[in-house]
Amino acid sequence: MWDEALKLAGQDPDYHRKDLEEAITNGAYPKWKFGIQTIAEADLDKFEFDPLDATKLWPEEDFPVRYIGTMELNRVVDEYFPQTEQVAFCTSHVVPGIGFSDDPLLQGRNFSYFDTQLSRLGINWQELPINRPVCPFMNNNRDGQGRHTITKGTVNYWPNRFEATKPATVAEGAYYDYPMKVEGMKQRLLSKKFSEHFNQAQLFYNSLSDHEKWHTVKALAFELDHCDDEVVYNRMCERLADIDLELAQKVAELVGAPIPQKAGRPNHGKKAKNLSQMDFLPETPTIATRRVAIIIADGFDATAYYGVKAALAAAGALPFTIAPKRSPIKSSEGKEVKPDHNLEGQRSTMFDSIFVPGGAQSVETLRKNGRALHWVREAFGHLKAIGATGEAVSFIKDACALPAMTFSESGDVVESYGVVTASQTTPQSFKEKISMAADAKDFVDAYTFQISQHKNWKREMDGKFPDFTR
Amino acid sequence: MWDEALKLAGQDPDYHRKDLEEAITNGAYPKWKFGIQTIAEADLDKFEFDPLDATKLWPEEDFPVRYIGTMELNRVVDEYFPQTEQVAFCTSHVVPGIGFSDDPLLQGRNFSYFDTQLSRLGINWQELPINRPVCPFMNNNRDGQGRHTITKGTVNYWPNRFEATKPATVAEGAYYDYPMKVEGMKQRLLSKKFSEHFNQAQLFYNSLSDHEKWHTVKALAFELDHCDDEVVYNRMCERLADIDLELAQKVAELVGAPIPQKAGRPNHGKKAKNLSQMDFLPETPTIATRRVAIIIADGFDATAYYGVKAALAAAGALPFTIAPKRSPIKSSEGKEVKPDHNLEGQRSTMFDSIFVPGGAQSVETLRKNGRALHWVREAFGHLKAIGATGEAVSFIKDACALPAMTFSESGDVVESYGVVTASQTTPQSFKEKISMAADAKDFVDAYTFQISQHKNWKREMDGKFPDFTR
Amino acid sequence: MWDEALKLAGQDPDYHRKDLEEAITNGAYPKWKFGIQTIAEADLDKFEFDPLDATKLWPEEDFPVRYIGTMELNRVVDEYFPQTEQVAFCTSHVVPGIGFSDDPLLQGRNFSYFDTQLSRLGINWQELPINRPVCPFMNNNRDGQGRHTITKGTVNYWPNRFEATKPATVAEGAYYDYPMKVEGMKQRLLSKKFSEHFNQAQLFYNSLSDHEKWHTVKALAFELDHCDDEVVYNRMCERLADIDLELAQKVAELVGAPIPQKAGRPNHGKKAKNLSQMDFLPETPTIATRRVAIIIADGFDATAYYGVKAALAAAGALPFTIAPKRSPIKSSEGKEVKPDHNLEGQRSTMFDSIFVPGGAQSVETLRKNGRALHWVREAFGHLKAIGATGEAVSFIKDACALPAMTFSESGDVVESYGVVTASQTTPQSFKEKISMAADAKDFVDAYTFQISQHKNWKREMDGKFPDFTR
Amino acid sequence: MWDEALKLAGQDPDYHRKDLEEAITNGAYPKWKFGIQTIAEADLDKFEFDPLDATKLWPEEDFPVRYIGTMELNRVVDEYFPQTEQVAFCTSHVVPGIGFSDDPLLQGRNFSYFDTQLSRLGINWQELPINRPVCPFMNNNRDGQGRHTITKGTVNYWPNRFEATKPATVAEGAYYDYPMKVEGMKQRLLSKKFSEHFNQAQLFYNSLSDHEKWHTVKALAFELDHCDDEVVYNRMCERLADIDLELAQKVAELVGAPIPQKAGRPNHGKKAKNLSQMDFLPETPTIATRRVAIIIADGFDATAYYGVKAALAAAGALPFTIAPKRSPIKSSEGKEVKPDHNLEGQRSTMFDSIFVPGGAQSVETLRKNGRALHWVREAFGHLKAIGATGEAVSFIKDACALPAMTFSESGDVVESYGVVTASQTTPQSFKEKISMAADAKDFVDAYTFQISQHKNWKREMDGKFPDFTR
């Protein structure tokens, strides 16, 4: 959510870094499927866009992704500077079998990446442990500032009569350049297809889910709201009308530009897959690595607290206990818990969900705590799953104060726009073995399912809530 | 406010820069009194602290500030890079009459600043227009990377038989080093007084206002809350007990350290002036350069809107109109206003105060707008002045929902914790000539006085509000 | 001469620089004809060599030089560092009408020259006075270390709606790239013609004069004499046999390689003009800027001294008086001359010719001075013109001690291998108005003609002298 | 010799480097006695000069050298760049027990050497193999461009609660600064004794041997001869008269300045030992590592050639065979020798001595070779030992052509000014076991003794030869 991002950038600018580190040290290694898209040289001119235009995407319908591996981050660095700050990527360093297309962006990068590494790290950047080739003998460089390697021997050239430093042949696996065919006039021009700017913009916009389209409207409106020059935002809205009329109209209204009355060009209506984040939901619901804040105060319901905490942990989520202070908090039965943080030390933005257990005294304390109230309202506004049991149900109800929502009033578990409540619970309500489902009868099953959905987009999109959530 | 800073750092990292630029381009030039503190060489050892310890302050009671000028920023740069990015400060460059004390931090800086300019800007950094001496003949350097000046002549040394390039004598105003007396053993040591770490910490803490002390507690608690190693926060709280027991106890409770039971050393109870920001309030109230958000929707009360806006502008404040959209908004009388921003494009953090005029339709729209509600609540939480008239009074009342507060219910102007309301207004209620006062009967007078107070610390400190504000 | 170069490199490493500076400050501005060779794109493949091979020359017979101007050096710099050390040449900076061929050396230089200037002088090297374009508005760069220019205005991009910073069109004279036709396979290869290494080597060797061929032999023999690895010098001599058998045989004998018995390939016998320095002799003899050492001691013949000195100066040569000491030297008539240098302070290598006037006492002194003897012998060995009159004739004769030479024994002027002598002279023998000629009867005419010939190659080549001169 | 240096600088600028490398690879490791001079702090002001003035020497009479070791060069580098080019000396890096005096030159160097290494090699120059401390754990640096070391662990500061990275104490051998006593006014001044410029100049000049004094005259005259501004050389000669009147007079005459008639100040007449190179002659004569050129042509006397060559090699000298060509040379008995170099490929400057064996045909060939003649004359002029046997004696005699010398005319071995000749030799004349002596009867003994004397200073100094040698 944009509002979440705006705040988090100030509240914890390292949030994403910490997220990675937390996942890796907890053994939940981040993984990505590694796929490539290829095109036969002969087909290069067959498309309505130029495949060498780096601003264009290759629709997966026409260019299926071929998955060739998995990328997994499973170790953190020993020391930040030499192993992270000094990492040097270089597009011009490739292995045999990979060549360079005529993509002008790639060609430019082949020079600029190398130059960058030189000015960042010096001429011997390839000697640094983190950048060194796995095979230490592959680097024929000599000399230059900061040179560590001492190369014995009298020749560093080829051919030489000692047959020393003989380079590998192509037959032995050496790199060779692909002999591409070229024909035409050498001029400083771009392919004409580079000038077709709207087809793919339409394709992209059409392929988004409803809330992604809405986020696109809001993002454009946010940035253009900061522009004081009406020529700029008026023209921008005219250009948006070349993509999609509705998009342009919504943005224009928010930013104060004349509302376009007709599309600059018809929307071709085509979509492509895997352009919406919605195309990437996990096949079975999971809450692994989700950070859940459990908010308590003295007198909290220990049964609900321990029950939900254990269930979350068993499913791979990371429960954190948050209270008005980090000094020990007593449960209704007198048992003490030391919170992980106090309410002021963190913000709801840093968590994927919040759970508030019952306990009359605890809930009463939180109800009077402006910051606790804000945690609930902010998490609700950011479309996060919220869970509450016992006395906490009415706290959530009052905090949200939205007539469209329903809450549990008895032993039933009620799910309403991602908020899962159970007014009455027994120790049996909490179990470690969970079975997430949208319509689960069990509190833990229902609540964790909502967490697994990441965001409750309905809350934002079905029009029943104030504009806060819009 | 800490929460404000946390958010603003993400919402607009350039906020302070823009603030300066806005003030300068509006002619409200930022100014500072420029004063110095001096000490006779003979008195150097007479104080319980070492005046050469850069971590110590020189209490104004003992070392009165002598004001020697005013610094005023009255122009913005023509181009950012050559005039701002390349500015080079250098502690070792001084004019005749200024010398260097034995302050170890200064001595270190005399080397590091020069080295820094060399590596940032090159050896000829003093030739750059922004760094050039006013007198172009004062620089005897020659050669070096990027040299622009071409110096004719055959000698660049002195003495020479042509009597060329003769340096100024001390009698002519040349720089000379102050002949300081030294006596003792040359060793790599710091003065023993450098090791006295607590007297001035107590002095500083004692000199703070109540809310500054509370902010100190909260700032310490915020940071220590992020520390997972109990050795660290326990020890830190022990050290705080060396400064002030109450401070240590409050922090310890919030961060979960053992609550210290006695002070590590007695607080000497001394204070010094001008250490609290409260010592620097302007003598007569002013709202010049304060940014005020006027929040409206279709159907707003034009009389109140224009009246308050004119009054603010007349007093040098900067009113901004904010609405659900930036497209034109109609007043109750049908006149259109084009807002400066939409509600999503800005946040309350970017303004010093908010004002909501009445108008039944407008207030009804805002009441249903979650973001509008949040503007009011957040501004209230950040202790800002809030003003409302007509139907907007009840909106503010409902948004804050705090029983301790009172609101205008008739024609009376009511001020309660910095929130100024007037349920019924007439065109006469709004006037351009204002007379700010705490107990003013007039809405504009009362409201602008509250703006002039910057923050309503009572709201935070008197204990009548939920912990949100604490 | 190689021996001259070997010595001069140690005796005065700045000799050539001083030579330029001496010529410029004396108003004898060095000039070069500025010519270009061009080739029609269509003819690129018509030659047996590849015109894009930077190691090949374009024979003037096939590619006539078109002279388009004169380059003249007529000013010395005001300050060395900013105006000489910081000069930046850049092959990639060209004016409209000039484009880049596919010469691989040029293409490489287009990158490396620019990179070099960046690392030598910084990113703003084009701002330096010596490198600045004549038109100060031609540089659209902004920012970067050491930026001096402050550019006002809000846009630095094109297109923009203010129509500011509009670039020139091709019609207005803007640069555009020549649309060269390309067709083929893009591969990392050189043209096959690049591998033909011997045709032009033969052409070059054939085009040399006899003494240039002999110098080529000696230069090769000198360098290979320093190589202790027989594989290297043996193979080198085999390669030379691919160029010219006689060349290879002479070198092989001197360096101890097996003497090649047959040519590796037949010498095609072709020559090209303007490859020998002999093709560039001035059309009419001149001695302008030639440095002539006049060696004297107490008792020198003032008539000859002043006569020759005046004649040399009148013809634009630079006479220098050299004596055993720089203290005043008395002529036979008692008049004093202050020498420019003593004999030890200079060497014959630094002069183009030496002249020794008579005077019994002076010549007797020089005859006993080992250094004076060495000046004569070394100048003779380096093939320079030598002049002597009166008693000095026998001194030169004894110093050279070579039976093949003839010397003046009476009033006749005798020229023998560049040594011009006149045993008996009268004041009429010396005149300012000279008429240089090989067979002149007049001493000054004959001597200055020999100076104008630069070197007496016959001395080296006709076999009548010991191997010293060979 | 100055003339030798002038030529060698051009003929082989790497001569000294090769000399070191030749000695090391031949096992004749260069060695130096390593001594220090110290002074008690209390004595610092007791001398007429300031011991902290880096332009003054500490006379060994007053400050005896204490020899604490030997420096030996016994290995050449594996690769030049990383092991030689990157070597970084740093005066500020010292071991415990060494401190810094107030020598202003040293204090300046402590900054500039460190800065130099930073700009040459980058901030991590101490990580480079050649600069790395023997103990790899002694460097607490972290980060910075080109960092190779990866330091694990969580703390890099001290004190810390893990007791990690604890620095050594002084008791354990850590470095500590000497607590020097200071007292006075801190001003930018030099000690007044720094202004006494002549006492030590006199001491130095007085301590030289005769030929060193003469070389001083010639060196000054050579440089001042190049100065065209009489103010400069006149003043310089006046200053020389402040040192020694005779010195000043000799220089003034050669450079054309007024001859000083009285000393600027009296010469105190004092001398100090070990200021003349003559104080450092080896105790027993040696020719180890001396380079001897044996010059031959076809028909050379094989007995003399092999005999002398074997004797030289046995004594550790390095004999090189030089001939008109490097192709095989036949001895009078028909045996072939392959020369190391031809006569043009080297110069006499590169050798310590020359030997010419007899053989009628060989000597006749050399006699007609101008370059061979020059080898003899130049070696004679540079005061080197020369040896000749058989027919070669007359060749040397004719080449030198100096009446003051005597040569062997029969079987006697004659030594005259370092030239050793034996007209008639038998195989018994040459032996491997030599016994060098000034008055040896045996050719090899006499000749090698002359080589061991390095230079024959008498040849330069006794006035019997032409000024060449002066």
Side-chain angles (χ1 to χ4, degrees), chain B residues 457-469:
Chain B
W457 304 115
K458 195 170 65 158
R459 209 185 284 170
E460 182 182 37
M461 296 305 294
D462 81 351
K464 295 206 178 136
F465 294 106
D467 283 347
F468 180 174
T469 58

mmCIF file with all atom_site columns, all heavy atoms in Angstrom, chain B residues 457-469:
data_model
loop_
_atom_site.group_PDB
_atom_site.id
_atom_site.type_symbol
_atom_site.label_atom_id
_atom_site.label_alt_id
_atom_site.label_comp_id
_atom_site.label_asym_id
_atom_site.label_entity_id
_atom_site.label_seq_id
_atom_site.pdbx_PDB_ins_code
_atom_site.Cartn_x
_atom_site.Cartn_y
_atom_site.Cartn_z
_atom_site.occupancy
_atom_site.B_iso_or_equiv
_atom_site.pdbx_formal_charge
_atom_site.auth_seq_id
_atom_site.auth_comp_id
_atom_site.auth_asym_id
_atom_site.auth_atom_id
_atom_site.pdbx_PDB_model_num
ATOM 1   N N   . TRP B 1 457 ? 1.594  21.785 24.074 1.00 0.00 ? 457 TRP B N   1
ATOM 2   C CA  . TRP B 1 457 ? 2.271  20.792 24.929 1.00 0.00 ? 457 TRP B CA  1
ATOM 3   C C   . TRP B 1 457 ? 1.363  20.273 26.024 1.00 0.00 ? 457 TRP B C   1
ATOM 4   O O   . TRP B 1 457 ? 1.521  19.132 26.494 1.00 0.00 ? 457 TRP B O   1
ATOM 5   C CB  . TRP B 1 457 ? 3.542  21.396 25.544 1.00 0.00 ? 457 TRP B CB  1
ATOM 6   C CG  . TRP B 1 457 ? 4.488  21.917 24.500 1.00 0.00 ? 457 TRP B CG  1
ATOM 7   C CD1 . TRP B 1 457 ? 4.852  23.196 24.296 1.00 0.00 ? 457 TRP B CD1 1
ATOM 8   C CD2 . TRP B 1 457 ? 5.163  21.137 23.499 1.00 0.00 ? 457 TRP B CD2 1
ATOM 9   N NE1 . TRP B 1 457 ? 5.715  23.291 23.248 1.00 0.00 ? 457 TRP B NE1 1
ATOM 10  C CE2 . TRP B 1 457 ? 5.929  22.038 22.722 1.00 0.00 ? 457 TRP B CE2 1
ATOM 11  C CE3 . TRP B 1 457 ? 5.179  19.782 23.175 1.00 0.00 ? 457 TRP B CE3 1
ATOM 12  C CZ2 . TRP B 1 457 ? 6.706  21.624 21.667 1.00 0.00 ? 457 TRP B CZ2 1
ATOM 13  C CZ3 . TRP B 1 457 ? 5.962  19.365 22.117 1.00 0.00 ? 457 TRP B CZ3 1
ATOM 14  C CH2 . TRP B 1 457 ? 6.715  20.273 21.366 1.00 0.00 ? 457 TRP B CH2 1
ATOM 15  N N   . LYS B 1 458 ? 0.411  21.071 26.446 1.00 0.00 ? 458 LYS B N   1
ATOM 16  C CA  . LYS B 1 458 ? -0.519 20.642 27.496 1.00 0.00 ? 458 LYS B CA  1
ATOM 17  C C   . LYS B 1 458 ? -1.245 19.374 27.074 1.00 0.00 ? 458 LYS B C   1
ATOM 18  O O   . LYS B 1 458 ? -1.492 18.474 27.872 1.00 0.00 ? 458 LYS B O   1
ATOM 19  C CB  . LYS B 1 458 ? -1.516 21.775 27.760 1.00 0.00 ? 458 LYS B CB  1
ATOM 20  C CG  . LYS B 1 458 ? -2.298 21.628 29.052 1.00 0.00 ? 458 LYS B CG  1
ATOM 21  C CD  . LYS B 1 458 ? -3.094 22.884 29.386 1.00 0.00 ? 458 LYS B CD  1
ATOM 22  C CE  . LYS B 1 458 ? -4.168 23.132 28.334 1.00 0.00 ? 458 LYS B CE  1
ATOM 23  N NZ  . LYS B 1 458 ? -5.280 23.984 28.804 1.00 0.00 ? 458 LYS B NZ  1
ATOM 24  N N   . ARG B 1 459 ? -1.613 19.355 25.782 1.00 0.00 ? 459 ARG B N   1
ATOM 25  C CA  . ARG B 1 459 ? -2.307 18.189 25.241 1.00 0.00 ? 459 ARG B CA  1
ATOM 26  C C   . ARG B 1 459 ? -1.513 16.910 25.520 1.00 0.00 ? 459 ARG B C   1
ATOM 27  O O   . ARG B 1 459 ? -2.061 15.857 25.795 1.00 0.00 ? 459 ARG B O   1
ATOM 28  C CB  . ARG B 1 459 ? -2.465 18.384 23.735 1.00 0.00 ? 459 ARG B CB  1
ATOM 29  C CG  . ARG B 1 459 ? -3.649 17.729 23.108 1.00 0.00 ? 459 ARG B CG  1
ATOM 30  C CD  . ARG B 1 459 ? -3.628 17.900 21.611 1.00 0.00 ? 459 ARG B CD  1
ATOM 31  N NE  . ARG B 1 459 ? -4.010 19.222 21.150 1.00 0.00 ? 459 ARG B NE  1
ATOM 32  C CZ  . ARG B 1 459 ? -3.878 19.634 19.886 1.00 0.00 ? 459 ARG B CZ  1
ATOM 33  N NH1 . ARG B 1 459 ? -3.386 18.812 18.966 1.00 0.00 ? 459 ARG B NH1 1
ATOM 34  N NH2 . ARG B 1 459 ? -4.215 20.858 19.543 1.00 0.00 ? 459 ARG B NH2 1
ATOM 35  N N   . GLU B 1 460 ? -0.207 17.045 25.441 1.00 0.00 ? 460 GLU B N   1
ATOM 36  C CA  . GLU B 1 460 ? 0.660  15.881 25.669 1.00 0.00 ? 460 GLU B CA  1
ATOM 37  C C   . GLU B 1 460 ? 0.893  15.619 27.143 1.00 0.00 ? 460 GLU B C   1
ATOM 38  O O   . GLU B 1 460 ? 1.050  14.470 27.570 1.00 0.00 ? 460 GLU B O   1
ATOM 39  C CB  . GLU B 1 460 ? 2.003  16.131 24.978 1.00 0.00 ? 460 GLU B CB  1
ATOM 40  C CG  . GLU B 1 460 ? 2.983  14.967 25.102 1.00 0.00 ? 460 GLU B CG  1
ATOM 41  C CD  . GLU B 1 460 ? 4.321  15.275 24.436 1.00 0.00 ? 460 GLU B CD  1
ATOM 42  O OE1 . GLU B 1 460 ? 4.783  16.427 24.511 1.00 0.00 ? 460 GLU B OE1 1
ATOM 43  O OE2 . GLU B 1 460 ? 4.909  14.370 23.855 1.00 0.00 ? 460 GLU B OE2 1
ATOM 44  N N   . MET B 1 461 ? 0.932  16.730 27.937 1.00 0.00 ? 461 MET B N   1
ATOM 45  C CA  . MET B 1 461 ? 1.508  16.591 29.267 1.00 0.00 ? 461 MET B CA  1
ATOM 46  C C   . MET B 1 461 ? 0.524  16.519 30.428 1.00 0.00 ? 461 MET B C   1
ATOM 47  O O   . MET B 1 461 ? 0.896  16.087 31.519 1.00 0.00 ? 461 MET B O   1
ATOM 48  C CB  . MET B 1 461 ? 2.459  17.773 29.525 1.00 0.00 ? 461 MET B CB  1
ATOM 49  C CG  . MET B 1 461 ? 3.659  17.809 28.591 1.00 0.00 ? 461 MET B CG  1
ATOM 50  S SD  . MET B 1 461 ? 4.632  16.284 28.583 1.00 0.00 ? 461 MET B SD  1
ATOM 51  C CE  . MET B 1 461 ? 5.245  16.319 30.256 1.00 0.00 ? 461 MET B CE  1
ATOM 52  N N   . ASP B 1 462 ? -0.741 16.955 30.267 1.00 0.00 ? 462 ASP B N   1
ATOM 53  C CA  . ASP B 1 462 ? -1.525 17.050 31.503 1.00 0.00 ? 462 ASP B CA  1
ATOM 54  C C   . ASP B 1 462 ? -2.254 15.792 31.883 1.00 0.00 ? 462 ASP B C   1
ATOM 55  O O   . ASP B 1 462 ? -3.031 15.771 32.832 1.00 0.00 ? 462 ASP B O   1
ATOM 56  C CB  . ASP B 1 462 ? -2.437 18.285 31.481 1.00 0.00 ? 462 ASP B CB  1
ATOM 57  C CG  . ASP B 1 462 ? -3.711 18.061 30.704 1.00 0.00 ? 462 ASP B CG  1
ATOM 58  O OD1 . ASP B 1 462 ? -3.814 17.008 30.035 1.00 0.00 ? 462 ASP B OD1 1
ATOM 59  O OD2 . ASP B 1 462 ? -4.598 18.918 30.771 1.00 0.00 ? 462 ASP B OD2 1
ATOM 60  N N   . GLY B 1 463 ? -2.062 14.718 31.131 1.00 0.00 ? 463 GLY B N   1
ATOM 61  C CA  . GLY B 1 463 ? -2.551 13.430 31.595 1.00 0.00 ? 463 GLY B CA  1
ATOM 62  C C   . GLY B 1 463 ? -4.020 13.174 31.358 1.00 0.00 ? 463 GLY B C   1
ATOM 63  O O   . GLY B 1 463 ? -4.556 12.142 31.768 1.00 0.00 ? 463 GLY B O   1
ATOM 64  N N   . LYS B 1 464 ? -4.680 14.074 30.667 1.00 0.00 ? 464 LYS B N   1
ATOM 65  C CA  . LYS B 1 464 ? -6.114 13.872 30.493 1.00 0.00 ? 464 LYS B CA  1
ATOM 66  C C   . LYS B 1 464 ? -6.457 13.119 29.212 1.00 0.00 ? 464 LYS B C   1
ATOM 67  O O   . LYS B 1 464 ? -7.615 12.842 28.956 1.00 0.00 ? 464 LYS B O   1
ATOM 68  C CB  . LYS B 1 464 ? -6.820 15.241 30.482 1.00 0.00 ? 464 LYS B CB  1
ATOM 69  C CG  . LYS B 1 464 ? -6.705 15.946 31.824 1.00 0.00 ? 464 LYS B CG  1
ATOM 70  C CD  . LYS B 1 464 ? -7.815 16.904 32.066 1.00 0.00 ? 464 LYS B CD  1
ATOM 71  C CE  . LYS B 1 464 ? -7.686 17.560 33.434 1.00 0.00 ? 464 LYS B CE  1
ATOM 72  N NZ  . LYS B 1 464 ? -7.926 18.982 33.379 1.00 0.00 ? 464 LYS B NZ  1
ATOM 73  N N   . PHE B 1 465 ? -5.459 12.849 28.406 1.00 0.00 ? 465 PHE B N   1
ATOM 74  C CA  . PHE B 1 465 ? -5.745 12.189 27.130 1.00 0.00 ? 465 PHE B CA  1
ATOM 75  C C   . PHE B 1 465 ? -5.151 10.792 27.082 1.00 0.00 ? 465 PHE B C   1
ATOM 76  O O   . PHE B 1 465 ? -4.238 10.464 27.824 1.00 0.00 ? 465 PHE B O   1
ATOM 77  C CB  . PHE B 1 465 ? -5.219 13.036 25.974 1.00 0.00 ? 465 PHE B CB  1
ATOM 78  C CG  . PHE B 1 465 ? -5.958 14.342 25.874 1.00 0.00 ? 465 PHE B CG  1
ATOM 79  C CD1 . PHE B 1 465 ? -5.367 15.524 26.257 1.00 0.00 ? 465 PHE B CD1 1
ATOM 80  C CD2 . PHE B 1 465 ? -7.275 14.349 25.444 1.00 0.00 ? 465 PHE B CD2 1
ATOM 81  C CE1 . PHE B 1 465 ? -6.062 16.712 26.188 1.00 0.00 ? 465 PHE B CE1 1
ATOM 82  C CE2 . PHE B 1 465 ? -7.975 15.541 25.380 1.00 0.00 ? 465 PHE B CE2 1
ATOM 83  C CZ  . PHE B 1 465 ? -7.384 16.727 25.754 1.00 0.00 ? 465 PHE B CZ  1
ATOM 84  N N   . PRO B 1 466 ? -5.697 9.993  26.190 1.00 0.00 ? 466 PRO B N   1
ATOM 85  C CA  . PRO B 1 466 ? -5.152 8.627  26.065 1.00 0.00 ? 466 PRO B CA  1
ATOM 86  C C   . PRO B 1 466 ? -3.653 8.688  25.753 1.00 0.00 ? 466 PRO B C   1
ATOM 87  O O   . PRO B 1 466 ? -3.118 9.712  25.352 1.00 0.00 ? 466 PRO B O   1
ATOM 88  C CB  . PRO B 1 466 ? -5.934 8.060  24.883 1.00 0.00 ? 466 PRO B CB  1
ATOM 89  C CG  . PRO B 1 466 ? -7.140 8.923  24.732 1.00 0.00 ? 466 PRO B CG  1
ATOM 90  C CD  . PRO B 1 466 ? -6.792 10.273 25.277 1.00 0.00 ? 466 PRO B CD  1
ATOM 91  N N   . ASP B 1 467 ? -3.038 7.530  25.879 1.00 0.00 ? 467 ASP B N   1
ATOM 92  C CA  . ASP B 1 467 ? -1.585 7.474  25.698 1.00 0.00 ? 467 ASP B CA  1
ATOM 93  C C   . ASP B 1 467 ? -1.138 7.784  24.284 1.00 0.00 ? 467 ASP B C   1
ATOM 94  O O   . ASP B 1 467 ? 0.054  7.922  24.020 1.00 0.00 ? 467 ASP B O   1
ATOM 95  C CB  . ASP B 1 467 ? -1.072 6.085  26.091 1.00 0.00 ? 467 ASP B CB  1
ATOM 96  C CG  . ASP B 1 467 ? -1.030 5.964  27.596 1.00 0.00 ? 467 ASP B CG  1
ATOM 97  O OD1 . ASP B 1 467 ? -1.159 6.995  28.278 1.00 0.00 ? 467 ASP B OD1 1
ATOM 98  O OD2 . ASP B 1 467 ? -0.862 4.847  28.076 1.00 0.00 ? 467 ASP B OD2 1
ATOM 99  N N   . PHE B 1 468 ? -2.079 7.858  23.390 1.00 0.00 ? 468 PHE B N   1
ATOM 100 C CA  . PHE B 1 468 ? -1.698 8.179  22.014 1.00 0.00 ? 468 PHE B CA  1
ATOM 101 C C   . PHE B 1 468 ? -0.803 9.419  22.021 1.00 0.00 ? 468 PHE B C   1
ATOM 102 O O   . PHE B 1 468 ? 0.278  9.438  21.437 1.00 0.00 ? 468 PHE B O   1
ATOM 103 C CB  . PHE B 1 468 ? -2.969 8.457  21.211 1.00 0.00 ? 468 PHE B CB  1
ATOM 104 C CG  . PHE B 1 468 ? -2.741 8.794  19.771 1.00 0.00 ? 468 PHE B CG  1
ATOM 105 C CD1 . PHE B 1 468 ? -3.834 8.949  18.912 1.00 0.00 ? 468 PHE B CD1 1
ATOM 106 C CD2 . PHE B 1 468 ? -1.461 8.944  19.227 1.00 0.00 ? 468 PHE B CD2 1
ATOM 107 C CE1 . PHE B 1 468 ? -3.640 9.249  17.580 1.00 0.00 ? 468 PHE B CE1 1
ATOM 108 C CE2 . PHE B 1 468 ? -1.296 9.245  17.894 1.00 0.00 ? 468 PHE B CE2 1
ATOM 109 C CZ  . PHE B 1 468 ? -2.369 9.399  17.078 1.00 0.00 ? 468 PHE B CZ  1
ATOM 110 N N   . THR B 1 469 ? -1.282 10.433 22.734 1.00 0.00 ? 469 THR B N   1
ATOM 111 C CA  . THR B 1 469 ? -0.534 11.685 22.719 1.00 0.00 ? 469 THR B CA  1
ATOM 112 C C   . THR B 1 469 ? 0.701  11.611 23.605 1.00 0.00 ? 469 THR B C   1
ATOM 113 O O   . THR B 1 469 ? 1.553  12.484 23.568 1.00 0.00 ? 469 THR B O   1
ATOM 114 C CB  . THR B 1 469 ? -1.416 12.845 23.178 1.00 0.00 ? 469 THR B CB  1
ATOM 115 O OG1 . THR B 1 469 ? -1.898 12.562 24.491 1.00 0.00 ? 469 THR B OG1 1
ATOM 116 C CG2 . THR B 1 469 ? -2.603 13.036 22.256 1.00 0.00 ? 469 THR B CG2 1
#
